[in-house]
Amino acid sequence: MARGKLRIYLGAAPGVGKTYAMLSEAHRRIERGTDCVVAFVEHHDRPRTEVMLHGLEQVTRRDLEYRGTAFTEMDVDAVLERAPEVALVDELAHTNVPGSRNAKRWQDVEELLTAGIDVVSTVNIQHLESLGDVVESITGVRQKETVPDEVVRRADQIELVDMSPQALRRRMAHGNIYKSDRIDASLSNYFRPGNLTALRELALLWVADRVDEYLQQYRGEHNIRSTWQARERIVVGLTGGPEGRTLIRRASRMAAKGSGSEILAVYIARSDGLTGASPKELAVQRTLVEDLGGTFHHVIGDDIPAALLDFARGVNATQIVLGSSRRKTWQYVFGPGVGATVARDSGPDLDVHIVTHGEVAKGRGLPVARGARLGRSRVIWGWLVGVAGPVLLTVLLTHVDADLGLANDMLLFLTLTVAAALVGGLLPALASAAGGSLLLNYYFTPPLHLWTVSNNKNIVAIAVFVGVAVSVASVVDLAARRTHQAARLRAEAEILSFLAGSVLRGETSLEALLERVRETFAMDSVALLERAGDTDPWTCAGSVGDGRPLERPEDADVDMPVGDHMALALSGRVLPAEDRRVLAAFAAQAAVVLDRQRLQSEADQARTLAEGNRIRTALLAAVSHDLRTPLAGIKAAVSSLRSDDVEWSDEDEAELLEGIEEGADRLEHLVGNLLDMSRLQTGTVTPLIREVDLDEVVPMALGGVPDGSAELDIPETLPMVAVDKGLLERAVANIVENAVKYAPDEAPVKVSASALGERVEIRVVDRGPGVPDSAKDRIFAPFQRYGDAPRGAGVGLGLAVARGFVEAMGGTLAAEDTPGGGLTMVLTLRAAAGRPQVRPELSSQVTS
């Protein structure tokens, strides 16, 4: 059954018209043909609200008495039985009278939603649990009735019912909210203009956050990357320099001009870890951002302008605040700078603010080459090949007496250029092409040892060499990068395929997943941190590795948020920007695995509690009937014997005493089984294993059944068994008594034993009605009676206790069909190692 939908009318203050709006919506739905009923609506003697109830079907309320006073509450059972399409439930935060079905009304609403009934409800902003302290500080009144924010946030629709403070006070003065004797006190206390304005702002901001969640969800579902300027979000680009504090304060002043604006400070570091940022300064700036109500983010990216714009568009920012460049004039030869590039590429949806500061033009470090992503050693070898290679080749060619010709010399130099591109990337290859062209001109192109070329053909040849070298180097570098990207994407696809498979199979534990993260990203340690609220301390939900323990995401080299109160923290090295996509998938899967483990643990606990409740319920039933029946018989017999009104004969007294003894024996048997079951449930059964003969134990187990009801066939040649003698006797006794109970009088139960390899089997065979295959396992459950067994036949613990004792001794107990009809209980035990197995003698006819 599909879950019902919840619509909530959220009021900024009491009396704004939530209930009136809800009833108006009910009349509209009824006009459209919707089956709508009033489950609970409180009109508080307001005439206009009471009139709106006319024409609406109202479910009868439930009457409750508490401390001598009569109350009425919503009758959840009556609403469920009526099963309307829509139910109106007023005052969602209401606390039910003790003795009701649920403690809170929102829990009643959850039951209706689970049953597939749509619910329309109301609640005031001051009743939200997270705002209790804020409302108390504003109004001086502590709200005792609250509803969890998550309950309201899960609503499918939230409609704000708002009214200006002046209009609400006029409504109050006209007597439309409270009676005349309460108007003056309310206007001068709770309904002061300042209080109402503050509550109104709280309601508007809370609903705005809810709308923002809807917007983010919609943008994600529809893959919308462009910025929608529905709310001011200001991104502050930090470099780790001293100007960061100025930028943060400037952004804070900009945010203060618009209510609800948000500040997001972001620091973008390169993937190679080379940075001029001061960790101490970054920590100070992080603290400053958080003190001003913003958030701090750490992002890895080699292309800083692109990474900054991607981050801004990802959070739906509307403005970017950057500082004026600290570059000196000559450093602009390396590019226009981050500010100019961001302003050029931001597009019409992002406003870029360049803020001046005291560090302008004071200089900063040189930009890191793009080839740094190849690794330092590989770049060094690329430059050696690109710079030293042409020089060594020139020395070799000039000292070898072999005239190869200009064309072959160019091919050799071109080979070095290609090698430099393969090893070190584009820049070493360009250096190799430039150096090679100069060396070719000076040493191999007439006139030799001059920087001039006399033959026009040689000029063309050198120009072609330079062009081909640059082109080949570019193509080789691009191919190498594409190969690297393809290999990386393939690795990402394999990782994501593993994650998807683990999600579908539900096989991966949290520790195994974190270990996979550590191995994938070559980290020292990985931890999943979580906290209950924004101000609560972080706790570790799981960790792997030998690195230092992490207490906060800020202490890690890499942290990946998972929701609002969970983060995946890694220590060991800083990850490049492209790795964060896969890390985000791992983080999301880690949260899913943690939730699955907790749900599984809760499910196991629930099953344990349910089993305990079932056993307790059955135990109560046994005590109420099976134990009281023999007690009643004993009580009646004793009362008869002590009666002075009747003169009992010796035969009558003997019969009554016999009844007392039978009842006591029956009580002893029942209580013994209950105690045995209790020991098995609590795991306190400790068998004392000894080597015993079956012919010493099994006959003693038949003492509790009538003579002639069981036939015994235990060969003396059977090997000894390793068992607890007392537990085995109790188990066999219970099995035989159960078999005798169902066997017909003319067909006694047969108890036989045989040896099979290292096992010994005891078979208890009856000719009773038998048990179908579907019920063979169920008959061993506690408090189970099969078929139409009478209530006085026991509490249904005999077979459960027998199986528990047998399994405690390392054996098994199973049920099989008896050929020709009936049931056979097969008890399998371990043969003792002390006595050799006796094989049956075979006749001479078989051996000859």
Side-chain angles (χ1 to χ4, degrees):
M1 179 183 296
R3 179 181 172 86
K5 295 183 178 181
L6 175 62
R7 177 171 183 168
I8 293 178
Y9 286 93
L10 179 65
V16 294
K18 307 179 303 300
T19 306
Y20 189 92
M22 178 181 67
L23 296 175
S24 299
E25 174 66 18
H27 282 286
R28 287 192 294 270
R29 296 197 181 197
I30 290 176
E31 290 175 358
R32 295 195 299 265
T34 304
D35 182 16
C36 182
V37 301
V38 175
F40 188 95
V41 169
E42 189 63 60
H43 55 73
H44 297 290
D45 296 328
R46 296 170 186 170
R48 296 178 181 273
T49 305
E50 188 175 2
V51 169
M52 293 297 295
L53 286 170
H54 296 168
L56 299 178
E57 178 186 350
Q58 300 187 45
V59 178
T60 304
R61 301 184 184 183
R62 182 184 178 188
D63 295 324
L64 294 172
E65 184 176 346
Y66 180 66
R67 293 183 178 178
T69 306
F71 297 90
T72 60
E73 294 287 359
M74 180 175 67
D75 193 337
V76 180
D77 292 326
V79 178
L80 293 174
E81 183 178 358
R82 172 63 175 78
E85 294 182 42
V86 181
L88 307 183
V89 182
D90 203 6
E91 299 178 355
L92 186 63
H94 172 72
T95 301
N96 293 330
V97 175
S100 301
R101 184 189 187 97
N102 296 301
K104 303 288 289 187
R105 184 163 293 164
W106 64 264
Q107 295 171 328
D108 296 336
V109 170
E110 284 294 321
E111 287 198 37
L112 300 183
L113 295 173
T114 304
I117 301 174
D118 295 345
V119 177
V120 183
S121 188
T122 65
V123 69
N124 281 330
I125 191 67
Q126 67 266 25
H127 293 295
L128 295 182
E129 198 169 73
S130 64
L131 301 179
D133 296 336
V134 179
V135 173
E136 183 179 9
S137 64
I138 294 172
T139 63
V141 178
R142 182 67 180 185
Q143 298 294 331
K144 297 182 180 179
E145 292 187 330
T146 60
V147 59
D149 291 46
E150 185 59 27
V151 174
V152 183
R153 287 186 180 275
R154 287 200 305 263
D156 299 275
Q157 297 181 56
I158 298 177
E159 183 171 333
L160 178 64
V161 183
D162 187 24
M163 180 176 290
S164 67
Q166 294 78 11
L168 184 57
R169 284 172 60 84
R170 284 196 301 270
R171 177 179 288 183
M172 171 72 70
H174 294 159
N176 294 330
I177 300 178
Y178 295 144
K179 294 182 179 181
S180 57
D181 57 345
R182 298 178 56 189
I183 293 177
D184 293 338
S186 299
L187 289 175
S188 60
N189 291 288
Y190 194 90
F191 285 82
R192 292 197 301 267
N195 292 355
L196 296 178
T197 302
L199 292 175
R200 188 185 190 195
E201 184 177 7
L202 277 179
L204 291 171
L205 291 176
W206 196 92
V207 174
D209 288 337
R210 172 66 172 172
V211 173
D212 189 61
E213 291 176 8
Y214 280 136
L215 180 60
Q216 292 293 346
Q217 181 181 356
Y218 180 84
R219 284 167 53 84
E221 292 175 351
H222 293 79
N223 196 24
I224 298 173
R225 301 288 297 168
S226 61
T227 301
W228 287 3
Q229 299 184 5
R231 180 180 181 182
E232 291 294 339
R233 281 189 178 85
I234 303 174
V235 171
V236 184
L238 302 178
T239 63
E243 78 281 0
R245 304 184 202 180
T246 302
L247 302 183
I248 294 171
R249 294 189 181 97
R250 182 71 178 92
S252 178
R253 292 196 298 272
M254 295 170 58
K257 296 179 180 179
S259 179
S261 298
E262 185 178 356
I263 302 175
L264 301 94
V266 57
Y267 169 70
I268 301 175
R270 296 184 183 276
S271 60
D272 52 22
L274 300 177
T275 176
S278 168
K280 182 178 180 181
E281 182 63 29
L282 280 177
V284 172
Q285 293 174 12
R286 176 194 289 268
T287 303
L288 178 60
V289 169
E290 293 175 349
D291 290 343
L292 294 175
T295 56
F296 185 91
H297 303 268
H298 190 118
V299 177
I300 304 296
D302 290 311
D303 190 344
I304 293 179
L308 181 60
L309 289 172
D310 288 342
F311 176 82
R313 293 191 175 101
V315 298
N316 198 29
T318 57
Q319 302 181 60
I320 299 178
V321 176
L322 300 173
S324 297
S325 178
R326 288 188 283 125
R327 288 183 174 190
K328 293 185 178 181
T329 304
W330 64 269
Q331 290 180 318
Y332 280 96
V333 298
F334 297 103
V338 174
T341 305
V342 171
R344 181 192 64 201
D345 299 338
S346 61
D349 53 353
L350 275 171
D351 296 335
V352 181
H353 303 267
I354 306 296
V355 179
T356 59
H357 50 85
E359 302 296 323
V360 175
K362 289 188 176 180
R364 58 179 300 174
L366 292 174
V368 180
R370 293 178 60 197
R373 72 181 66 181
L374 298 176
R376 181 175 297 181
S377 61
R378 187 169 173 180
V379 171
I380 292 175
W381 277 105
W383 281 104
L384 288 176
V385 173
V387 176
V391 175
L392 295 176
L393 180 61
T394 301
V395 173
L396 178 64
L397 292 177
T398 54
H399 287 76
V400 174
D401 188 14
D403 187 9
L404 300 179
L406 182 61
N408 291 326
D409 294 337
M410 287 184 177
L411 289 176
L412 292 175
F413 279 95
L414 183 61
T415 302
L416 286 177
T417 301
V418 174
L422 288 172
V423 176
L426 182 60
L427 292 181
L430 295 179
S432 176
S437 63
L438 294 175
L439 293 174
L440 281 171
N441 182 16
Y442 191 81
Y443 288 101
F444 303 104
T445 304
L448 301 179
H449 307 299
L450 293 174
W451 296 108
T452 59
V453 180
S454 60
N455 192 338
N456 293 334
K457 294 181 179 180
N458 291 336
I459 295 176
V460 174
I462 292 177
V464 170
F465 166 77
V466 173
V468 171
V470 172
S471 300
V472 171
S474 300
V475 172
V476 170
D477 178 72
L478 180 62
R481 292 179 185 276
R482 291 293 182 264
T483 302
H484 174 73
Q485 291 175 358
R488 179 180 181 80
L489 292 175
R490 179 179 178 181
E492 288 185 6
E494 292 177 353
I495 293 173
L496 295 176
S497 175
F498 160 77
L499 286 177
S502 65
V503 170
L504 295 175
R505 295 188 301 269
E507 298 174 350
T508 305
S509 65
L510 180 60
E511 288 71 19
L513 182 64
L514 295 180
E515 183 63 29
R516 181 64 182 262
V517 174
R518 192 181 71 83
E519 294 176 355
T520 301
F521 298 103
M523 288 293 180
D524 295 335
S525 64
V526 180
L528 183 64
L529 306 177
E530 63 175 348
R531 59 181 177 180
D534 294 334
T535 59
D536 294 317
W538 290 93
T539 59
C540 181
S543 63
V544 295
D546 301 327
R548 55 188 173 88
L550 300 174
E551 298 179 356
R552 301 183 307 165
E554 295 83 1
D555 299 334
D557 294 316
V558 181
D559 66 285
M560 175 59 65
V562 188
D564 295 332
H565 303 133
M566 190 176 293
L568 190 64
L570 300 86
S571 67
R573 65 187 181 93
V574 178
L575 290 181
E578 55 266 24
D579 284 347
R580 293 181 69 88
R581 293 181 301 175
V582 179
L583 183 59
F586 271 113
Q589 176 64 3
V592 171
V593 170
L594 180 60
D595 289 341
R596 182 188 299 130
Q597 287 184 353
R598 289 177 174 173
L599 290 174
Q600 183 63 41
S601 176
E602 292 176 1
D604 294 340
Q605 293 178 4
R607 280 194 293 269
T608 302
L609 292 175
E611 179 65 17
N613 288 334
R614 190 184 68 80
I615 292 178
R616 280 192 292 271
T617 302
L619 180 59
L620 289 175
V623 171
S624 64
H625 186 279
D626 295 282
L627 296 182
R628 291 180 63 184
T629 300
L631 281 175
I634 295 174
K635 175 67 174 176
V638 171
S639 299
S640 299
L641 288 174
R642 296 189 60 186
S643 176
D644 298 332
D645 300 337
V646 180
E647 188 71 25
W648 301 102
S649 64
D650 294 340
E651 292 80 5
D652 294 334
E653 289 182 357
E655 185 177 353
L656 290 173
L657 291 174
E658 182 181 0
I660 293 174
E661 184 177 10
E662 290 179 356
D665 292 339
R666 185 174 169 190
L667 273 179
E668 181 184 10
H669 180 73
L670 292 175
V671 172
N673 276 338
L674 289 173
L675 293 176
D676 291 339
M677 197 67 232
S678 176
R679 292 168 59 201
L680 290 171
Q681 290 288 335
T682 56
T684 57
V685 175
T686 304
L688 184 62
I689 303 299
R690 292 288 186 270
E691 295 181 2
V692 300
D693 283 316
L694 288 181
D695 55 3
E696 297 178 0
V697 180
V698 177
M700 298 175 61
L702 304 184
V705 298
D707 295 337
S709 60
E711 295 179 355
L712 191 60
D713 182 14
I714 306 295
E716 296 181 357
T717 56
L718 286 177
M720 301 179 73
V721 290
V723 295
D724 184 304
K725 183 176 180 181
L727 295 184
L728 178 60
E729 181 182 343
R730 293 291 302 279
V732 174
N734 284 352
I735 297 171
V736 173
E737 289 175 6
N738 184 78
V740 170
K741 184 192 308 179
Y742 290 97
D745 296 337
E746 65 277 5
V749 173
K750 183 177 181 181
V751 181
S752 62
S754 60
L756 296 173
E758 298 179 353
R759 312 292 290 180
V760 175
E761 284 188 355
I762 301 175
R763 290 180 170 267
V764 180
V765 183
D766 68 64
R767 294 293 179 178
V771 176
D773 293 338
S774 59
K776 282 187 172 62
D777 287 333
R778 194 166 64 247
I779 61 176
F780 293 101
F783 302 104
Q784 294 291 323
R785 294 187 183 90
Y786 178 69
D788 55 353
R791 292 291 298 179
V795 293
L797 285 177
L799 294 181
V801 170
R803 172 175 273 189
F805 284 168
V806 171
E807 291 179 348
M809 295 183 293
T812 61
L813 177 61
E816 298 179 357
D817 290 331
T818 301
L823 187 69
T824 299
M825 291 291 178
V826 182
L827 194 159
T828 306
L829 302 171
R830 291 177 300 168
R835 180 186 296 181
Q837 299 180 17
V838 179
R839 297 182 180 179
E841 296 182 358
L842 300 179
S843 64
S844 58
Q845 294 179 353
V846 177
T847 57
S848 60

